[in-house]
Amino acid sequence: MWFEKKDILDIESLESNEISMILDTAQGMKEINERPVKKVPTLRGKTIVLFFQEPSTRTKLSFDTAAKRLSADCLSISKSSSSIVKGETLIDTAKNLEAMKPDVIVLRHPSSGAPHLIAKHVKSSVINAGDGIHSHPSQALLDMMSVRERKGKIKGLKISIIGDIAHSRVARSDITGFSKMGAFVSICAPQTMIPMGIEKLGCTISPNIEACIDGADVIMMLRIQKERQGNILFPTEREYATLFGLNKTRLKLAKKDALVMHPGPMNRGVEISSDVADGDCSMILEQVTNGVALRMALFYLVAGGSRHADSD
Ligand code: CP
């Protein structure tokens, strides 16, 4: 099978066999990152632009690392260092980037739909590195890769996602991705942080955190996205931690071999206690390690893989 997609914009537009192909490719890339010399010539001569209009530690650095490990030339601009601050529109900025002939543009943007918009205006592949509250496909793919690697499968697992679902693009992409791959997804959050109709993405809403965690194979904790909340949606962080935080006592409700995940950044003592975040069940840093291999796979598939075989 060939990977035919020009862009990676969201999980909704990926078929389950395309998701499997991405995860298989990422698994193959992982070995490169364990070598003494972590570099292969696969994307030599290709140019990748990282355009991040929101802060990022993990996503930006792992896309950057992924590009360099595949020998692509990787350029980076931020909102504050671009002419967006002088009033240039996103589409004009994208067209000007396109004029420099990059092969891939990776965009993080505060507005939902921004990567979809520029993908219509440029020939380069566009990868969504997180848009507003909408989608974070590379995060969901690395989460699926991490679970599949550790559990040997995704189908049939109970995945519990707990936190600020309403403002989390990771939640939307994870719910869509894990349910597409045959997992049972259960979510839990304060009523004020559960968006209307979220079940349509493929999840059930648990009445409380204990019910959500009960028998879980994977527990995914999410931080409260205060930067996206217009109003205060919960009384205090202490109350939030009491009602919705993951601690050692609650973790015992999950399966014995349950995995604890978090896309980061974590707010220790709020959605997750430090002893759980750093405990034996935690695979939070493994997610970050897998993020590099997963993003290498995305670059390979859109810029150097089978879609480009004719021009090689
Ligand atoms: N998971 C994630 O998107 O983290 P960053 O915001 O640090 O990239």
Side-chain angles (χ1 to χ4, degrees):
M1 182 192 142
W2 286 15
F3 192 80
E4 298 290 348
K5 292 273 188 315
K6 167 184 164 285
D7 308 304
I8 307 287
L9 298 175
D10 49 44
I11 297 294
E12 285 81 354
S13 56
L14 293 172
E15 302 296 333
S16 56
N17 60 350
E18 291 174 319
I19 292 175
S20 294
M21 188 178 183
I22 293 169
L23 304 193
D24 291 345
T25 307
Q27 211 62 56
M29 292 289 177
K30 206 168 164 181
E31 176 270 327
I32 296 167
N33 297 322
E34 304 298 331
R35 295 180 192 175
V37 178
K38 302 173 182 60
K39 207 171 182 73
V40 292
T42 312
L43 293 188
R44 199 165 50 198
K46 303 285 183 184
T47 304
I48 291 167
V49 176
L50 307 183
F51 190 14
F52 275 60
Q53 294 204 29
E54 276 188 341
S56 170
T57 298
R58 283 148 288 269
T59 313
K60 186 170 182 212
L61 280 183
S62 59
F63 270 118
D64 198 351
T65 305
K68 290 183 168 101
R69 297 226 165 128
L70 294 174
S71 300
D73 294 311
C74 188
L75 315 172
S76 180
I77 52 167
S78 63
K79 182 176 179 180
S80 60
S81 65
S82 76
S83 287
I84 293 264
V85 293
K86 300 179 210 164
E88 190 165 51
T89 67
L90 177 64
I91 292 174
D92 281 335
T93 303
K95 284 180 175 172
N96 278 270
L97 293 179
E98 170 83 346
M100 297 176 215
K101 311 286 181 202
D103 298 280
V104 186
I105 298 172
V106 180
L107 179 68
R108 170 168 284 194
H109 199 280
S111 301
S112 299
H116 302 66
L117 182 66
I118 72 160
K120 289 188 185 135
H121 291 271
V122 298
K123 288 197 187 74
S124 320
S125 291
V126 176
I127 298 180
N128 180 1
D131 62 324
I133 62 166
H134 174 231
S135 193
H136 196 346
S138 65
Q139 178 69 47
L141 289 162
L142 78 86
D143 291 342
M144 286 186 268
M145 174 190 179
S146 303
V147 169
R148 197 183 73 158
E149 186 177 51
R150 285 285 288 267
K151 295 285 181 192
K153 62 175 186 177
I154 295 175
K155 193 172 179 179
L157 298 181
K158 177 177 177 181
I159 314 281
S160 303
I161 302 179
I162 299 152
D164 184 0
I165 309 287
H167 301 93
S168 174
R169 53 198 176 203
V170 176
R172 281 176 181 74
S173 292
D174 271 339
I175 294 168
T176 307
F178 278 111
S179 67
K180 207 173 246 199
M181 299 308 280
F184 301 102
V185 182
S186 174
I187 64 164
C188 181
Q191 281 297 326
T192 49
M193 297 185 203
I194 299 181
M196 290 277 283
I198 190 77
E199 304 96 313
K200 287 185 194 137
L201 294 184
C203 63
T204 56
I205 302 172
S206 291
N208 53 55
I209 188 169
E210 285 78 13
C212 193
I213 291 174
D214 188 37
D217 296 285
V218 176
I219 306 169
M220 173 81 67
M221 300 307 296
L222 303 172
R223 81 183 166 91
I224 300 163
Q225 306 225 355
K226 285 186 195 157
E227 73 274 26
R228 299 190 206 283
Q229 293 184 358
N231 300 310
I232 297 167
L233 299 178
F234 59 99
T236 62
E237 286 189 353
R238 182 182 291 197
E239 187 173 345
Y240 183 89
T242 305
L243 291 173
F244 295 98
L246 181 62
N247 53 37
K248 267 193 159 167
T249 309
R250 285 184 172 140
L251 181 57
K252 287 189 185 130
L253 296 168
K255 289 207 177 122
K256 276 199 169 53
D257 60 350
L259 303 173
V260 172
M261 301 177 76
H262 195 307
M266 281 188 284
N267 289 141
R268 289 171 182 264
V270 183
E271 74 271 14
I272 190 165
S273 63
S274 274
D275 53 4
V276 173
D278 302 327
D280 293 341
C281 294
S282 173
M283 63 171 317
I284 294 168
L285 294 178
E286 223 171 296
Q287 288 172 263
V288 180
T289 300
N290 285 338
V292 176
L294 189 282
R295 286 159 180 137
M296 288 166 77
L298 295 183
F299 285 146
Y300 171 72
L301 290 169
V302 300
S306 49
R307 205 165 62 85
H308 300 259
D310 292 343
S311 57
D312 283 347

